[in-house]
């Protein structure tokens, strides 16, 4: 660890300050008042990313030299919970049986189990509903990206973020580049004008096929959808948001603006299951930035060219995934960024630190906006129509009321019908 | 371009002067200087239109040009256009070798408007026969074809033969003024941009009962990659040509996506989206689509680094001529080049590079791979260097045509 502002002494001061501030905060549960409080978190969604987030959370607490524990786990099935439990045990964190909740309403039981923080890492279809329950119960939250699959979900997360802010709750999102040193340094340089006025760019997540789980004849629709979630747009939002939202987020973060218009193409070359595309190419226009265009390319097809990252070009230089190269070839020294070297840990460091200091951090709106920007591109590719940001972000926009089914609520009620595999959207109208 | 040949009188002076200075014109043209013998290869809608544009331009320049021969795969089509210009049927040639018969006549200026797969062979034959050429875009469907056009274009230059291409934006006043200012440096440097040809579906011809493979492919050429190069080449080449022209060089690499949403016949995609990297951090996003009921846009957007602009307050933009629209002006510019060696014009390389740029994008979208310019024009070991669409022009001439299956399209990547 590079010593930045978070030396142990500094941190202790911060913690004390946070302790002192607690008198003024009503949002921490009664048990959290006073000093020496152990912050507790519950994990909803015990897949690979969820388990990773829990481990990162524990590591962050260690880094901050504070005590924080994972005290509850929730998932729709028992098996992943056990895997997560075993993994957390390695880090000295034991979750008792009574705090392991199974089922589609497990998140409610977890929220009621006395945790201070919830880590939400289910497939994104569930995020708005789970986040709503967490905010209603006054819990701080870590919300994995993306945070919705449709415009209605995105609008809801923005509203919930505002509500969380009113309650003084911290919300950190899993768009971890915002907590990554190279990106933070690059963002600072770009904001200070290092590459001059930005004229355009391209953002990429072009790679190989993701995993899939072919349907087992014994599975119910519900089981199949949740096991193979990454191949259904109703569950994941399609890969342009499930995966590529990271790069889209960097685009809007660095530009400090949202695109006003998206026109896109996309299709399905080789995906085997589900109803998603496997490639998208979007022309995003930033009307508020004198018509800057950024091209977004995302693909999940084996044997194809790969590139992941972001490139923005300005009149003085180019930004490539946080690194600055000037046209003049002069070198630019990136500013020193304090914190943990692992961005996945650092996001939890920032979450815990903001809670301890009583200075809520709230990333709900920014991650919801980036997800909605991805959704603009997806709708444009699916339909062949241009899509404005307001079309998805405003309830009275053209696609403002678009909501997929099954919804998170349908899953809770057990009313789930799997959409047909291999039926994908076809843009435009048939040629007569 | 405005100058000595602006008025009919000036044109006549130019024509007379040209008659004296040029030896490449056929014997009958020497000293006469009143017009040219014109032939058309490819008598479809565009061919008929190009011929009418050419004759209108000739008339405007005071030339008494004459249509002396037509050629088409289908003799009936050659006769159809020929009739309009008073040609007897024996001057209207049909079949795979019709172009040879046309080139063997006393024709001096040859207009080429067949499907682009034939262009490299026809163009090379025309240059070998010492003809001036107008050739429709695009001019190839594969890398060897593009290189052949560049090579024949160089030979044309050596022989003093003029070559104009149907990328008519290069003959539009607005585009020429823009290019002039960009090349003068007063707009700054192009650092990015988007080029579009997104529109509705084109026409198609269903296969007729008992139709041969060759006849079907020729009739429905705009749906087969082997014939048209796919619509990124056939149509979008216009916009890619602007990018190459304005930036001043072809791209270095292409990475692209494409697919087929609703096309009914043939084996082409109906949309492509390509990230062209021109080097130096300059990316051009190309989007083209032929699907009904979708967003449409045709044009080009460029982003300029204004900070790099050169101040030239005294810059005088020439008054570029555009009379009768760019489709007619391109023929006027061809004729002026033939008449006055100071106005010599040869667009073979530019249009070949634009076509190859589009071919590079198509290979990228068909394969999912990153394609380098050098793979098409320089690296003989590259798997793309010798990539040849079959059936080729030669196969058509030999009568060895097997149509590829309808509806079997390229799938990028692998399982």
């Amino acid at each position: 660890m590079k010593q930045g502002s978070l030396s142990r002494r500094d941190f202790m001061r911060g913690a004390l300050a946070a302790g002192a501030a607690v008198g003024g905060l009503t949002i921490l549960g009664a048990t959290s008042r006073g000093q020496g409080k152990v912050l507790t978190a519950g994990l909803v969604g015990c897949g690979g990313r969820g388990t990773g987030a829990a481990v990162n959370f524990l590591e962050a607490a260690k880094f901050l030299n504070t005590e924080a524990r994972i005290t509850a786990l929730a998932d729709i099935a028992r098996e992943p919970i056990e895997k997560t439990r075993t993994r957390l045990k390695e880090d000295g964190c034991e979750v008792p049986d009574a705090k392991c909740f199974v089922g589609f309403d497990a998140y409610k039981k977890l929220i009621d189990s006395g945790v201070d923080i919830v880590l939400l890492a289910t497939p994104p279809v569930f995020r708005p509903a789970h986040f709503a329950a967490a905010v209603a119960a006054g819990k701080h939250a870590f919300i994995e990206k993306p945070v919705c699959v449709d415009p209605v979900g995105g609008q809801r997360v923005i509203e919930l973020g505002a509500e969380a802010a009113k309650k003084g709750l911290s919300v950190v999102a899993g768009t971890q580049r915002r907590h990554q040193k190279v990106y933070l340094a690059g963002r600072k340089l770009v904001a200070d004008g290092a590459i001059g006025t930005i004229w355009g760019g391209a953002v990429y997540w072009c790679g190989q096929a993701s995993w899939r789980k072919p349907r087992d004849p014994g599975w119910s629709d519900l089981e199949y959808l949740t096991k193979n979630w990454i191949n259904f747009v109703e569950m994941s939002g399609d890969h342009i948001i499930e995966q590529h939202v990271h790069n889209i987020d960097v685009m809007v973060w660095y530009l400090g603006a949202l695109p006003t218009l998206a026109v896109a193409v996309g299709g399905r070359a080789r995906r085997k299951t589900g109803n998603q595309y496997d490639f998208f190419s979007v022309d995003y226009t930033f009307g508020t930035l004198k018509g800057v265009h950024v091209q977004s390319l995302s693909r999940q097809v084996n044997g194809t060219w790969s590139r992941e990252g972001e490139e923005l070009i300005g009149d003085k230089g180019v930004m490539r995934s946080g690194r600055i190269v000037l046209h003049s070839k002069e070198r630019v020294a990136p500013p020193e960024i304090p914190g943990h070297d692992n961005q996945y840990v650092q996001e939890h460091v920032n979450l815990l630190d903001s809670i301890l200091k009583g200075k809520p951090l709230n990333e709900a709106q920014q991650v919801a906006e980036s997800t909605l920007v991805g959704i603009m591109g997806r709708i444009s590719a699916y339909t062949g129509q241009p899509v404005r940001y307001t079309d998805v972000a405003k309830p009275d926009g053209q696609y403002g009321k678009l909501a997929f089914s099954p919804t998170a609520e349908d899953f809770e009620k057990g009313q789930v019908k799997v959409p047909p595999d291999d039926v994908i959207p076809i843009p435009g109208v048939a040629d007569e | 371009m405005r100058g000595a040949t602006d008025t009919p009188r000036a044109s006549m002076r130019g024509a007379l002067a040209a008659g004296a200075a040029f030896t490449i014109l056929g014997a009958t043209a020497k000293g006469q200087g009143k017009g040219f013998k014109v032939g058309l290869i490819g008598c479809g809608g565009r061919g008929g239109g190009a011929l009418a544009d050419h004759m209108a331009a000739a008339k405007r320049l005071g030339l008494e040009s004459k249509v002396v021969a037509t050629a088409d795969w289908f003799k009936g089509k050659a006769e159809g256009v020929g009739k309009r210009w008073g040609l007897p049927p024996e001057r209207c040639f049909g079949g795979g070798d019709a172009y040879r018969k046309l080139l063997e006549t006393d024709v001096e200026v040859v207009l080429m408007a067949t499907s682009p797969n034939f262009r490299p062979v026809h163009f090379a034959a025309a240059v070998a026969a010492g003809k001036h050429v107008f050739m429709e875009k695009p001019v190839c469907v594969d890398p060897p074809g593009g290189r052949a056009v560049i090579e024949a274009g160089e030979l044309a230059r050596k022989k003093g033969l003029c070559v104009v291409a149907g990328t008519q934006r290069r003959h539009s006043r607005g585009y020429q003024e823009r290019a002039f200012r960009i090349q003068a440096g007063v707009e700054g440097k192009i650092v990015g941009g988007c080029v579009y040809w997104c529109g509705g579906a084109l026409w198609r011809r269903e296969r007729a009962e008992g139709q041969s493979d060759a006849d079907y492919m020729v009739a429905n050429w705009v749906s087969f990659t082997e014939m048209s190069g796919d619509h990124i080449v056939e149509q979008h080449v216009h916009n890619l040509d602007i990018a190459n022209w304005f930036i001043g060089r072809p791209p270095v690499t292409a990475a692209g996506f494409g697919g087929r949403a609703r096309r009914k016949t043939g084996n082409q995609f109906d949309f492509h989206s390509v990230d062209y990297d021109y080097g130096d951090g300059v990316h051009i996003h190309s989007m083209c689509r032929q699907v009904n009921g979708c967003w449409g846009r045709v044009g080009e957007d460029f982003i300029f680094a204004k900070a790099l602009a050169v101040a030239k307050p005294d810059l005088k933009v020439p008054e570029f001529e555009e009379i009768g629209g760019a489709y007619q002006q391109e023929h006027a510019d061809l004729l002026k080049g033939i008449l006055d060696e100071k106005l010599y014009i040869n667009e073979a390389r530019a249009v070949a590079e634009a076509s190859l740029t589009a071919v590079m994008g198509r290979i990228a979208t068909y394969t999912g791979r990153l394609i380098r310019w050098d793979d098409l024009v320089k690296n003989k070991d590259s798997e793309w260097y010798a990539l040849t669409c079959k059936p080729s022009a030669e196969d058509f001439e030999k009568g060895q045509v097997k149509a590829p299956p309808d509806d079997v399209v390229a799938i990028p990547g692998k399982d």
Side-chain angles (χ1 to χ4, degrees), chain B residues 71-130:
Chain B
D72 195 280
W73 176 263
F74 298 110
K75 186 161 168 38
K77 288 202 136 194
E79 287 176 3
V81 172
K83 204 170 164 190
R84 260 182 262 160
W85 296 95
L87 286 188
E90 63 270 21
R91 298 288 285 192
C92 305
F93 306 104
D97 61 350
Y99 75 98
R100 289 183 193 269
K101 293 178 186 152
L102 181 138
L103 292 175
E104 283 162 11
T105 69
D106 54 352
V107 68
E108 294 159 331
V109 179
V110 179
L111 318 183
M112 301 186 172
T114 65
S115 54
N117 57 319
F118 296 110
R119 198 87 68 254
V121 169
H122 292 184
F123 178 53
V127 172

Coordinates of all heavy atoms in Angstrom, one line a residue, chain B residues 71-130:
Chain B
A71 N -22.7 -2.1 -74.3 CA -22.5 -3.5 -74.0 C -23.1 -3.8 -72.6 O -23.2 -2.9 -71.7 CB -20.9 -3.8 -73.9
D72 N -23.6 -5.0 -72.5 CA -24.2 -5.4 -71.3 C -24.2 -7.0 -71.3 O -24.1 -7.6 -72.3 CB -25.7 -4.9 -71.1 CG -26.2 -5.0 -69.7 OD1 -26.7 -6.1 -69.3 OD2 -26.2 -4.0 -69.0
W73 N -24.3 -7.5 -70.1 CA -24.4 -9.0 -69.9 C -25.7 -9.5 -70.7 O -25.6 -10.5 -71.4 CB -24.6 -9.4 -68.4 CG -24.8 -10.8 -68.2 CD1 -26.0 -11.5 -68.0 CD2 -23.8 -11.8 -68.1 NE1 -25.8 -12.8 -67.8 CE2 -24.4 -13.1 -67.9 CE3 -22.4 -11.8 -68.3 CZ2 -23.7 -14.2 -67.8 CZ3 -21.7 -13.0 -68.1 CH2 -22.4 -14.2 -67.9
F74 N -26.7 -8.7 -70.6 CA -28.0 -9.0 -71.3 C -28.0 -8.1 -72.6 O -28.1 -6.9 -72.5 CB -29.2 -8.7 -70.5 CG -29.2 -9.5 -69.2 CD1 -29.0 -8.9 -68.0 CD2 -29.5 -10.9 -69.3 CE1 -29.1 -9.7 -66.8 CE2 -29.5 -11.7 -68.1 CZ -29.3 -11.1 -66.9
K75 N -28.0 -8.8 -73.8 CA -28.0 -8.0 -75.0 C -29.2 -7.1 -75.1 O -29.1 -6.0 -75.6 CB -28.0 -9.0 -76.2 CG -27.8 -8.3 -77.5 CD -27.3 -9.2 -78.6 CE -27.4 -8.7 -80.0 NZ -27.1 -7.3 -80.3
G76 N -30.3 -7.6 -74.6 CA -31.5 -6.7 -74.6 C -31.4 -5.4 -73.9 O -31.9 -4.4 -74.4
K77 N -30.6 -5.4 -72.8 CA -30.4 -4.2 -72.1 C -29.5 -3.2 -72.9 O -29.7 -2.0 -72.9 CB -29.8 -4.5 -70.7 CG -30.8 -5.1 -69.8 CD -30.3 -4.9 -68.4 CE -31.5 -4.5 -67.5 NZ -31.2 -3.9 -66.2
A78 N -28.5 -3.8 -73.5 CA -27.6 -3.0 -74.3 C -28.3 -2.4 -75.5 O -28.2 -1.2 -75.8 CB -26.4 -3.9 -74.9
E79 N -29.2 -3.1 -76.1 CA -30.1 -2.6 -77.2 C -31.0 -1.5 -76.7 O -31.3 -0.6 -77.4 CB -30.8 -3.8 -77.9 CG -29.9 -4.6 -78.7 CD -30.6 -5.8 -79.3 OE1 -31.8 -6.0 -79.1 OE2 -29.9 -6.6 -80.0
G80 N -31.5 -1.8 -75.5 CA -32.5 -0.8 -74.9 C -31.9 0.6 -74.8 O -32.5 1.6 -75.2
V81 N -30.7 0.7 -74.2 CA -30.0 2.0 -74.1 C -29.6 2.4 -75.5 O -29.7 3.6 -75.9 CB -28.8 1.9 -73.1 CG1 -28.0 3.2 -73.2 CG2 -29.3 1.6 -71.7
G82 N -29.0 1.5 -76.3 CA -28.6 1.9 -77.6 C -29.6 2.5 -78.5 O -29.4 3.5 -79.2
K83 N -30.8 2.0 -78.4 CA -32.0 2.5 -79.2 C -32.2 4.0 -78.8 O -32.5 4.8 -79.7 CB -33.2 1.7 -78.8 CG -34.3 1.7 -79.9 CD -35.4 0.7 -79.6 CE -36.6 1.0 -80.4 NZ -37.7 0.2 -80.0
R84 N -32.1 4.3 -77.6 CA -32.3 5.7 -77.1 C -31.3 6.6 -77.9 O -31.6 7.8 -78.0 CB -32.1 5.8 -75.6 CG -33.3 5.8 -74.8 CD -33.0 6.0 -73.4 NE -33.0 4.7 -72.7 CZ -32.4 4.5 -71.5 NH1 -31.7 5.5 -70.9 NH2 -32.5 3.4 -70.9
W85 N -30.1 6.1 -78.2 CA -29.1 6.9 -78.8 C -28.9 6.6 -80.3 O -27.9 6.9 -80.9 CB -27.8 6.8 -78.1 CG -27.9 7.3 -76.7 CD1 -28.2 6.5 -75.6 CD2 -27.8 8.6 -76.2 NE1 -28.3 7.4 -74.5 CE2 -28.1 8.7 -74.8 CE3 -27.6 9.9 -76.9 CZ2 -28.1 9.8 -74.1 CZ3 -27.6 11.0 -76.1 CH2 -27.8 11.0 -74.8
G86 N -29.9 5.9 -80.9 CA -29.9 5.7 -82.3 C -28.9 4.7 -82.8 O -28.5 4.7 -84.0
L87 N -28.6 3.7 -81.9 CA -27.6 2.7 -82.3 C -28.3 1.5 -83.0 O -29.3 1.1 -82.5 CB -26.8 2.2 -81.1 CG -25.8 3.0 -80.5 CD1 -25.0 2.2 -79.5 CD2 -24.8 3.6 -81.6
P88 N -27.7 1.0 -84.1 CA -28.2 -0.3 -84.6 C -27.9 -1.4 -83.7 O -26.9 -1.4 -83.0 CB -27.5 -0.4 -86.0 CG -26.2 0.4 -85.8 CD -26.5 1.4 -84.8
P89 N -28.7 -2.5 -83.7 CA -28.5 -3.7 -82.8 C -27.0 -4.2 -82.9 O -26.5 -4.7 -81.9 CB -29.5 -4.7 -83.3 CG -30.5 -3.9 -84.0 CD -29.9 -2.7 -84.6
E90 N -26.4 -4.1 -84.1 CA -25.1 -4.7 -84.2 C -24.0 -3.9 -83.5 O -22.9 -4.4 -83.3 CB -24.7 -5.0 -85.7 CG -24.6 -3.7 -86.5 CD -25.9 -3.3 -87.2 OE1 -27.0 -3.8 -86.7 OE2 -25.9 -2.6 -88.2
R91 N -24.4 -2.7 -83.0 CA -23.4 -1.9 -82.2 C -23.8 -2.1 -80.7 O -23.2 -1.4 -79.8 CB -23.5 -0.5 -82.5 CG -23.1 -0.2 -84.0 CD -21.6 -0.3 -84.2 NE -20.8 0.8 -83.6 CZ -19.5 0.9 -83.9 NH1 -18.9 0.1 -84.7 NH2 -18.9 1.9 -83.4
C92 N -24.7 -3.0 -80.4 CA -25.1 -3.2 -79.0 C -24.7 -4.7 -78.7 O -25.3 -5.6 -79.2 CB -26.6 -3.0 -78.8 SG -27.1 -1.4 -79.4
F93 N -23.7 -4.8 -77.8 CA -23.1 -6.1 -77.6 C -23.7 -6.8 -76.3 O -23.8 -6.1 -75.3 CB -21.6 -6.0 -77.5 CG -21.0 -5.4 -78.7 CD1 -20.6 -4.1 -78.7 CD2 -21.0 -6.1 -80.0 CE1 -20.0 -3.5 -79.8 CE2 -20.5 -5.4 -81.1 CZ -20.0 -4.1 -81.0
G94 N -23.9 -8.1 -76.3 CA -24.3 -8.8 -75.1 C -23.4 -9.9 -74.8 O -22.6 -10.3 -75.6
G95 N -23.5 -10.3 -73.5 CA -22.7 -11.5 -73.0 C -21.5 -11.1 -72.2 O -21.1 -9.9 -72.0
G96 N -20.8 -12.2 -71.8 CA -19.6 -12.0 -70.9 C -18.4 -11.3 -71.6 O -17.6 -10.7 -70.9
D97 N -18.3 -11.4 -72.9 CA -17.2 -10.7 -73.6 C -17.7 -9.5 -74.4 O -16.9 -9.0 -75.2 CB -16.5 -11.7 -74.6 CG -17.5 -12.2 -75.6 OD1 -18.7 -11.9 -75.5 OD2 -17.0 -12.9 -76.6
A98 N -18.9 -9.0 -74.0 CA -19.4 -7.8 -74.7 C -18.5 -6.6 -74.6 O -18.3 -5.8 -75.5 CB -20.8 -7.5 -74.2
Y99 N -17.8 -6.5 -73.4 CA -16.9 -5.4 -73.2 C -15.8 -5.4 -74.2 O -15.3 -4.4 -74.6 CB -16.4 -5.3 -71.8 CG -15.4 -6.4 -71.4 CD1 -14.0 -6.0 -71.4 CD2 -15.8 -7.7 -71.1 CE1 -13.1 -7.0 -71.1 CE2 -14.8 -8.6 -70.8 CZ -13.5 -8.3 -70.8 OH -12.5 -9.2 -70.5
R100 N -15.3 -6.6 -74.5 CA -14.2 -6.7 -75.5 C -14.6 -6.2 -76.8 O -13.9 -5.5 -77.5 CB -13.7 -8.2 -75.6 CG -13.0 -8.8 -74.4 CD -12.6 -10.2 -74.7 NE -12.2 -10.9 -73.5 CZ -10.9 -10.9 -73.1 NH1 -10.0 -10.2 -73.7 NH2 -10.6 -11.5 -72.0
K101 N -15.8 -6.6 -77.2 CA -16.3 -6.2 -78.6 C -16.5 -4.7 -78.6 O -16.1 -4.1 -79.6 CB -17.6 -6.9 -78.9 CG -17.5 -8.4 -79.0 CD -18.8 -9.1 -79.3 CE -18.6 -10.6 -79.3 NZ -19.9 -11.3 -78.9
L102 N -16.9 -4.1 -77.5 CA -17.1 -2.7 -77.5 C -15.7 -2.0 -77.6 O -15.5 -1.0 -78.3 CB -17.8 -2.3 -76.2 CG -18.0 -0.8 -76.0 CD1 -19.4 -0.5 -75.5 CD2 -17.0 -0.1 -75.1
L103 N -14.7 -2.6 -76.9 CA -13.4 -1.9 -76.9 C -12.7 -2.1 -78.2 O -11.8 -1.3 -78.6 CB -12.5 -2.5 -75.8 CG -12.9 -2.2 -74.3 CD1 -12.1 -3.0 -73.3 CD2 -12.8 -0.7 -74.1
E104 N -13.1 -3.1 -79.0 CA -12.6 -3.3 -80.4 C -13.1 -2.3 -81.4 O -12.6 -2.2 -82.5 CB -12.8 -4.7 -80.8 CG -11.9 -5.7 -80.2 CD -12.3 -7.1 -80.3 OE1 -13.3 -7.4 -81.1 OE2 -11.8 -8.0 -79.6
T105 N -14.2 -1.5 -81.0 CA -14.7 -0.6 -81.9 C -13.9 0.7 -81.9 O -12.8 0.8 -81.2 CB -16.2 -0.2 -81.6 OG1 -16.1 0.6 -80.4 CG2 -17.1 -1.4 -81.4
D106 N -14.3 1.7 -82.6 CA -13.6 3.0 -82.6 C -13.9 3.9 -81.4 O -13.6 5.1 -81.5 CB -13.9 3.7 -83.9 CG -15.4 3.9 -84.1 OD1 -16.2 3.3 -83.3 OD2 -15.8 4.6 -85.1
V107 N -14.5 3.3 -80.4 CA -14.8 4.1 -79.2 C -13.6 4.8 -78.6 O -12.5 4.3 -78.7 CB -15.6 3.2 -78.2 CG1 -14.6 2.2 -77.6 CG2 -16.2 4.0 -77.1
E108 N -13.8 6.0 -78.1 CA -12.7 6.8 -77.5 C -12.9 7.0 -76.0 O -11.9 7.0 -75.2 CB -12.6 8.2 -78.2 CG -12.2 8.1 -79.6 CD -12.6 9.4 -80.4 OE1 -13.6 10.0 -80.0 OE2 -12.0 9.7 -81.3
V109 N -14.1 7.1 -75.6 CA -14.4 7.3 -74.2 C -15.3 6.2 -73.8 O -16.4 6.0 -74.4 CB -15.0 8.7 -73.9 CG1 -15.3 8.8 -72.4 CG2 -14.1 9.8 -74.4
V110 N -14.9 5.5 -72.7 CA -15.7 4.4 -72.3 C -16.3 4.6 -70.9 O -15.5 5.0 -70.0 CB -14.9 3.0 -72.3 CG1 -15.8 1.9 -71.8 CG2 -14.4 2.8 -73.6
L111 N -17.6 4.5 -70.8 CA -18.2 4.6 -69.5 C -18.5 3.2 -68.9 O -19.1 2.4 -69.7 CB -19.6 5.4 -69.6 CG -19.6 6.6 -70.5 CD1 -21.0 7.3 -70.4 CD2 -18.5 7.6 -70.1
M112 N -18.2 3.0 -67.7 CA -18.3 1.7 -67.1 C -19.3 1.7 -65.9 O -19.0 2.4 -64.9 CB -17.0 1.1 -66.6 CG -16.0 1.1 -67.7 SD -14.5 0.3 -67.1 CE -13.7 0.2 -68.7
A113 N -20.4 1.0 -66.1 CA -21.4 1.0 -65.0 C -22.0 -0.4 -64.8 O -23.1 -0.5 -64.4 CB -22.5 2.0 -65.4
T114 N -21.2 -1.4 -64.9 CA -21.6 -2.7 -64.6 C -21.5 -2.9 -63.1 O -21.1 -1.9 -62.4 CB -20.7 -3.8 -65.2 OG1 -19.4 -3.7 -64.6 CG2 -20.6 -3.7 -66.7
S115 N -21.9 -4.0 -62.5 CA -21.6 -4.3 -61.1 C -20.1 -4.3 -60.9 O -19.4 -4.6 -61.8 CB -22.3 -5.6 -60.7 OG -21.9 -6.6 -61.5
P116 N -19.7 -3.9 -59.7 CA -18.2 -3.6 -59.5 C -17.3 -4.8 -59.6 O -16.1 -4.6 -59.8 CB -18.2 -3.0 -58.1 CG -19.5 -3.4 -57.5 CD -20.5 -3.5 -58.6
N117 N -17.8 -6.0 -59.5 CA -16.9 -7.2 -59.7 C -16.2 -7.2 -61.0 O -15.1 -7.7 -61.2 CB -17.7 -8.5 -59.4 CG -18.8 -8.6 -60.3 OD1 -19.6 -7.7 -60.6 ND2 -19.1 -9.9 -60.8
F118 N -16.9 -6.6 -62.0 CA -16.3 -6.6 -63.4 C -15.3 -5.5 -63.6 O -14.6 -5.5 -64.6 CB -17.4 -6.5 -64.4 CG -18.4 -7.7 -64.4 CD1 -19.7 -7.6 -64.0 CD2 -17.9 -9.0 -64.9 CE1 -20.5 -8.6 -64.0 CE2 -18.8 -10.0 -64.9 CZ -20.1 -9.9 -64.4
R119 N -15.3 -4.5 -62.8 CA -14.6 -3.3 -63.1 C -13.1 -3.5 -63.3 O -12.6 -2.9 -64.2 CB -14.9 -2.2 -62.0 CG -14.5 -0.8 -62.4 CD -15.6 -0.1 -63.1 NE -16.7 0.2 -62.2 CZ -17.9 -0.4 -62.2 NH1 -18.1 -1.4 -63.1 NH2 -18.8 -0.1 -61.4
P120 N -12.4 -4.2 -62.4 CA -11.0 -4.3 -62.5 C -10.6 -4.8 -63.9 O -9.7 -4.3 -64.6 CB -10.5 -5.2 -61.4 CG -11.6 -5.0 -60.4 CD -12.9 -4.8 -61.1
V121 N -11.3 -5.9 -64.3 CA -11.0 -6.5 -65.6 C -11.3 -5.6 -66.8 O -10.5 -5.3 -67.7 CB -11.8 -7.8 -65.8 CG1 -11.7 -8.4 -67.2 CG2 -11.2 -8.9 -64.8
H122 N -12.5 -5.0 -66.7 CA -12.9 -4.0 -67.8 C -12.0 -2.8 -67.9 O -11.7 -2.4 -68.9 CB -14.4 -3.6 -67.6 CG -15.4 -4.7 -67.7 ND1 -16.7 -4.5 -67.7 CD2 -15.2 -6.0 -68.0 CE1 -17.4 -5.7 -67.8 NE2 -16.5 -6.6 -68.0
F123 N -11.7 -2.3 -66.7 CA -10.8 -1.1 -66.7 C -9.5 -1.4 -67.2 O -8.9 -0.6 -68.1 CB -10.8 -0.6 -65.2 CG -9.9 0.7 -65.1 CD1 -10.1 1.8 -65.8 CD2 -8.9 0.7 -64.1 CE1 -9.3 2.9 -65.7 CE2 -8.1 1.8 -64.0 CZ -8.3 3.0 -64.7
A124 N -8.9 -2.5 -66.8 CA -7.5 -2.8 -67.3 C -7.6 -3.0 -68.8 O -6.7 -2.5 -69.6 CB -7.0 -4.1 -66.6
A125 N -8.7 -3.6 -69.3 CA -8.8 -3.8 -70.8 C -8.9 -2.5 -71.5 O -8.3 -2.3 -72.6 CB -10.0 -4.7 -71.1
A126 N -9.7 -1.6 -70.9 CA -9.9 -0.3 -71.6 C -8.6 0.5 -71.6 O -8.3 1.2 -72.6 CB -11.0 0.5 -70.8
V127 N -7.8 0.5 -70.5 CA -6.6 1.2 -70.5 C -5.6 0.6 -71.5 O -4.9 1.3 -72.3 CB -6.0 1.2 -69.1 CG1 -4.6 1.8 -69.1 CG2 -6.9 2.0 -68.1
A128 N -5.6 -0.7 -71.6 CA -4.7 -1.4 -72.5 C -5.1 -1.0 -73.9 O -4.2 -0.8 -74.8 CB -4.8 -2.9 -72.4
A129 N -6.4 -0.8 -74.2 CA -6.9 -0.4 -75.5 C -6.8 1.1 -75.8 O -7.2 1.6 -76.8 CB -8.3 -0.9 -75.7
G130 N -6.3 1.8 -74.8 CA -6.0 3.3 -75.0 C -7.3 4.1 -74.9 O -7.4 5.1 -75.6

